[in-house]
């Protein structure tokens, strides 16, 4: 039977035949992940399950990144609980403090994820690793506790929506704009219970970091996973990151798809998701006089070095608008160091930006960069739900690092070509 | 698995930030989370709920984060059952794992209004709307989910396996 990428990867981890969409299959897990918000609950469930040992101390990653550096006593207690569990179980991949970064940027960089893997994480943006040809999906803490104990979990084989992306990408249009456009087309429940599989000439030419940005937001269309083929670019990325023996993986021709979406990117301008859902997407030129109080550049969607470079190119030698707080968060310590070496941090600091430590805090209104009533933010993050970044009366717009840089300079949401 | 209570209807695409905003995620205590349930929709929302009441969601209920705190908050607020048009995938899994009964009824969701008195038989998936005297049938709970439920939830299911 011709298989989609999702079926193909699930089959690698399953002793029975995966077969058609709708089947429920038990699969082994390559990596099991939780963070400082979700791991404490996983640890409680793990104990209640009567488990004494994790299935493999090298295949679990615990990353403290949401409320860190700890914002208060309660969050410090949560991290303490995770730390003590990691020590007790002798977990190899435990990250906090100066070793920690935004989990979905950190793990690929450390070579912990690669093609053909099944990764489950107690974080909805675990789907990011689909950019590397992994079947990766978010689950709750108790599912993750089960996977930590057993090294396996169950999946319903998803139907797949195939997305073909072709045409010529415009100068200021990025992979973030493509995924926002797609979510705008299919809606926030357009891929509910299904996998998104990306392909086409634009994808073939797309860098791995850009693919991860797109896979990251599959969940914003309700997707179970967002999958990219693992091609020679993937192999090169994974070899560099130290992932052992990455293999190319492609979907079979003739695989059965629930739906095919064709997108021609030629002439597409930067896209903005307006409040309060990620599918409320408009081309940037349709937004008139939308002033912003804050701009956030960072997160598991767009806090990678290529994102910082793209924004710095626009910011360089200029000043952030006096009415804007421009928060820049390199997603990992290595990205921070790269940004230092390349002079990007200096560009942001000289422009009047606030360069913070790697953290997820502002994206979820949990820690730093909280919005007051009536305030508006343009963020490179992935969600703009009502009250996501603070007050229920605040507004979040989503855009690319390039549109974020343009908004930081002008104080309004504007086409970057006008800066 | 029978429940009765007043329907509290919320809209389509109710996300996990609406159910329990991130700033409250410094605990996993059901009582504490229950007191903040739907604080991201409206301040003090939970005050309208009596124990046993039934939550009625629209399309894509529970979209967003994987935070298990969301079903825990709903249970903590005293609502043991959710009826929705459809669920976000992660929330659906989490709900069952936490012992929250989830019924999916598609467009029939329009046959329930805010404040209706409902009686739910979760086993047969039958919802009686006492206010309108209508009977609504939900989609059957998938077999595999029933297996987890009959084990006493995911914790017990895994407990047997690691024993």
């Amino acid at each position: 039977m011709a298989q989609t990428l999702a079926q193909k990867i699930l089959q690698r981890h399953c002793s029975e035949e995966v077969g058609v969409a709708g089947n429920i299959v038990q699969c082994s897990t390559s990596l099991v992940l939780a963070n400082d918000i979700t791991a404490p609950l996983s640890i409680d469930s793990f104990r209640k399950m009567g488990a004494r040992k994790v299935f493999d101390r090298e295949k679990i990653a615990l990353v403290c990144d949401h409320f860190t550096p700890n914002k208060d006593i309660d969050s410090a207690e949560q991290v303490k609980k995770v730390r003590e569990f990691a020590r007790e179980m002798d977990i190899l991949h435990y990250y906090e403090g100066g070793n920690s970064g935004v989990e979905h940027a950190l793990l690929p960089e450390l070579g912990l994820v690669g093609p053909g893997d099944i990764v489950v994480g107690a974080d909805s943006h675990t789907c990011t690793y689909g950019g590397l040809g992994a079947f990766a999906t978010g689950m709750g803490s108790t599912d993750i506790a089960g996977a930590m104990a057993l090294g396996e979990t169950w999946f319903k084989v998803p139907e797949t929506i195939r997305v073909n992306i072709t045409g010529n990408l415009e100068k200021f249009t990025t992979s973030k704009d493509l995924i926002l456009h797609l979510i705008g087309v299919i809606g926030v429940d357009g891929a509910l219970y299904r996998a998104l599989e990306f392909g086409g000439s634009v994808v073939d030419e797309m860098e791995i970091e850009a693919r991860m940005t797109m896979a990251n937001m599959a969940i914003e269309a309700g997707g179970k996973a967002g999958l990219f083929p693992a091609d020679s670019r993937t192999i090169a990325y994974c070899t560099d990151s130290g992932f052992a023996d990455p293999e190319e993986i492609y979907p079979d021709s003739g695989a059965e798809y629930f739906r095919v979406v064709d997108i021609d990117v030629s002439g597409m301008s930067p896209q903005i998701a307006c409040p309060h859902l990620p599918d409320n997407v408009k081309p940037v030129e349709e937004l008139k006089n939308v002033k912003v109080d804050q701009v956030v550049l960072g997160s598991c969607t767009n806090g990678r070095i290529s994102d910082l470079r793209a924004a710095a190119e626009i910011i360089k030698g200029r000043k952030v608008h006096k009415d804007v707080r421009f928060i820049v968060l390199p997603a990992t310590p290595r990205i921070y160091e790269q940004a230092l070496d390349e002079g990007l941090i200096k560009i942001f600091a000289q422009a009047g930006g606030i360069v913070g430590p790697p953290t997820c805090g502002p994206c979820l209104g949990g820690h730093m960069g909280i919005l007051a009533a009536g305030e508006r933010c343009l963020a490179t993050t992935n969600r703009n739900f009502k009250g996501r970044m603070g007050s229920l009366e605040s507004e979040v717009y989503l855009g690319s690092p390039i549109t974020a840089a343009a908004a930081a300079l002008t104080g309004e949401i504007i086409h970057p070509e006008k800066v | 698995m029978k429940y009765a209570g007043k329907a509290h209807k919320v809209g389509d695409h109710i996300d996990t930030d609406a159910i329990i905003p991130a700033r409250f995620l410094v605990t996993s205590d059901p009582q504490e989370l229950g007191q903040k349930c739907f604080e991201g929709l409206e301040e003090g929302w939970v005050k309208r709920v009596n124990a046993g009441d039934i939550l009625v969601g629209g399309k894509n209920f529970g979209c967003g984060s994987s935070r298990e705190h969301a079903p825990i908050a709903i249970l903590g607020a005293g609502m043991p059952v959710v009826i929705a048009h459809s669920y976000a995938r992660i929330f659906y899994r989490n709900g069952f794992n936490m012992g929250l009964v989830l019924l999916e009824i598609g467009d029939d969701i329009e046959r329930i209004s805010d404040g209706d008195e409902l009686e739910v038989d979760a086993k047969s998936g039958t919802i009686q709307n006492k206010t309108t005297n209508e009977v609504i049938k939900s989609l059957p709970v998938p077999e595999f989910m029933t297996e987890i439920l009959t084990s006493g939830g995911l914790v017990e299911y895994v407990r047997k396996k690691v024993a």
Side-chain angles (χ1 to χ4, degrees):
Chain A
M1 192 182 80
Q3 290 177 313
T4 62
L5 266 175
Q7 286 167 316
K8 223 164 185 171
I9 299 169
L10 290 173
Q11 189 64 74
R12 286 182 168 217
H13 296 262
C14 183
S15 53
E16 54 203 296
E17 201 192 326
V18 160
V20 296
N23 284 355
I24 286 177
V25 291
Q26 197 79 10
C27 293
S28 63
T29 47
S30 315
L31 189 72
V32 182
L33 161 72
N35 60 49
D36 51 334
I37 290 180
T38 57
L41 268 169
S42 292
I43 293 164
D44 291 345
S45 294
F46 185 85
R47 306 274 191 215
K48 284 186 212 155
M49 284 167 179
R52 295 216 173 83
K53 282 174 84 172
V54 296
F55 81 104
D56 187 336
R57 61 177 286 271
E58 295 184 12
K59 291 184 176 177
I60 288 171
L62 299 173
V63 185
C64 296
D65 58 355
H66 277 62
F67 290 157
T68 57
N70 297 141
K71 69 164 180 159
D72 54 19
I73 296 169
D74 289 338
S75 59
E77 293 291 343
Q78 294 202 142
V79 169
K80 185 178 161 195
K81 186 170 185 168
V82 184
R83 181 188 309 126
E84 286 174 351
F85 180 77
R87 285 182 186 160
E88 181 191 334
M89 297 292 156
D90 199 19
I91 284 169
L92 189 60
H93 300 294
Y94 171 72
Y95 302 100
E96 68 166 314
N99 296 317
S100 192
V102 174
E103 53 196 314
H104 308 307
L106 186 69
L107 303 188
E109 175 186 286
L110 295 173
L112 297 181
V113 187
D117 278 358
I118 289 185
V119 185
V120 293
D123 189 279
S124 61
H125 292 105
T126 303
C127 51
T128 308
Y129 314 125
L132 296 171
F135 185 94
T137 195
M139 292 180 175
S141 295
T142 299
D143 268 319
I144 289 308
M148 286 201 302
L150 302 175
E152 61 178 26
T153 192
W154 63 270
F155 298 96
K156 196 171 196 174
V157 179
E159 292 173 321
T160 292
I161 298 175
R162 169 80 185 185
V163 183
N164 294 314
I165 308 178
T166 55
N168 298 309
L169 210 51
E170 302 293 326
K171 184 182 175 197
F172 293 110
T173 304
T174 69
S175 73
K176 176 62 164 288
D177 303 296
L178 302 186
I179 188 66
L180 288 176
H181 175 80
L182 175 70
I183 296 165
V185 168
I186 69 174
V188 287
D189 56 355
L192 207 55
Y193 312 130
R194 304 197 167 93
L196 286 167
E197 182 185 288
F198 297 96
S201 56
V202 173
V203 166
D204 295 342
E205 297 300 312
M206 195 180 277
E207 295 298 336
I208 298 303
E209 292 192 359
R211 293 181 190 179
M212 286 198 274
T213 296
M214 292 189 71
N216 173 272
M217 290 192 73
I219 181 68
E220 267 34 273
K224 181 170 189 156
L227 295 141
F228 283 78
D231 58 12
S232 56
R233 288 174 193 270
T234 322
I235 304 308
Y237 178 95
C238 291
T239 304
D240 280 354
S241 71
F243 183 86
D245 306 322
E247 280 179 60
E248 295 191 14
I249 306 176
Y250 301 91
D252 293 331
S253 61
E256 199 175 303
Y257 294 104
F258 169 77
R259 179 183 172 187
V260 178
V261 179
D262 293 305
I263 296 176
D264 184 343
V265 301
S266 307
M268 186 188 293
S269 49
Q271 307 283 300
I272 303 287
C274 302
H276 292 290
L277 280 177
D279 65 0
N280 188 14
V281 176
K282 294 176 182 156
V284 67
E285 62 271 16
E286 282 185 21
L287 279 79
K288 306 276 186 225
N289 298 316
V290 180
K291 306 271 185 215
V292 295
D293 305 286
Q294 180 170 296
V295 172
V296 174
L297 172 62
S299 84
C300 59
T301 318
N302 282 120
R304 297 184 182 81
I305 192 67
S306 53
D307 302 315
L308 301 187
R309 283 177 191 144
E313 199 173 312
I314 291 173
I315 299 284
K316 191 173 185 177
R318 304 190 219 201
K319 287 284 180 196
V320 169
H321 192 277
K322 64 179 175 45
D323 297 334
V324 176
R325 307 180 295 270
F326 180 38
I327 300 172
V328 181
L329 304 170
T332 69
R334 190 181 300 169
I335 295 168
Y336 201 112
E337 199 182 323
Q338 268 179 301
L340 264 179
D341 288 347
E342 295 178 19
L344 310 181
I345 301 279
K346 195 167 187 181
I347 290 171
F348 295 128
Q350 282 183 335
I354 308 154
V355 183
T359 176
C360 302
C363 172
L364 71 164
H367 183 29
M368 305 202 287
I370 311 293
L371 299 174
E375 288 196 319
R376 191 180 285 142
C377 177
L378 175 68
T380 65
T381 56
N382 38 49
R383 290 190 172 137
N384 58 349
F385 301 149
K386 196 176 176 206
R388 169 82 174 171
M389 275 193 169
S391 167
L392 282 175
E393 277 84 53
S394 63
E395 290 184 337
V396 180
Y397 289 71
L398 306 175
S400 75
I402 296 175
T403 49
L409 294 177
T410 61
E412 66 180 302
I413 300 176
I414 189 173
H415 197 302
E417 71 185 2
K418 291 186 179 162
V419 174
Chain B
M1 303 252 280
K2 289 188 178 174
Y3 307 88
K6 195 165 106 173
H8 295 285
K9 202 167 179 182
V10 290
D12 290 339
H13 310 300
I14 294 294
D15 59 80
T16 47
D17 285 88
I19 300 170
I20 185 80
R23 63 185 179 278
F24 302 124
L25 302 183
V26 287
T27 176
S28 42
D29 179 71
Q31 298 308 319
E32 279 182 54
L33 291 171
Q35 284 166 20
K36 303 295 181 192
C37 191
F38 286 109
E39 201 70 4
L41 201 61
E42 185 188 311
E43 261 178 58
W45 187 94
V46 80
K47 286 182 193 148
R48 65 183 75 178
V49 175
N50 290 314
D53 281 355
I54 291 163
L55 188 70
V56 181
K59 290 179 186 166
N60 196 24
F61 182 83
C63 59
S65 164
S66 68
R67 63 186 72 153
E68 219 165 59
H69 311 68
I72 293 174
I74 294 171
L75 283 165
M79 296 179 284
V81 180
V82 184
I83 302 167
H85 177 284
S86 52
Y87 293 92
R89 190 193 63 82
I90 299 173
F91 185 89
Y92 191 72
R93 251 184 114 124
N94 284 349
F96 274 88
N97 288 344
M98 293 296 97
L100 181 64
V101 175
L102 305 179
L103 299 177
E104 189 167 0
I105 62 173
D107 290 338
D108 278 343
I109 204 74
E110 297 308 323
R111 295 163 67 191
I112 303 175
S113 304
D114 195 44
D116 284 356
E117 291 294 334
L118 306 179
E119 275 184 20
V120 171
D121 182 341
K123 205 170 175 191
S124 66
T126 310
I127 302 155
Q128 284 205 8
N129 189 333
K130 305 297 277 183
T131 306
T132 63
N133 284 320
E134 284 188 289
V135 176
I136 304 165
K137 285 291 286 181
S138 79
L139 291 175
V141 173
E143 208 175 310
F144 194 82
M145 293 298 201
T146 314
E147 199 183 319
I148 289 180
L149 283 178
T150 52
S151 303
L154 187 69
V155 166
E156 286 304 313
Y157 177 82
V158 177
R159 198 183 166 87
K160 278 188 222 157
K161 281 201 149 188
V162 296

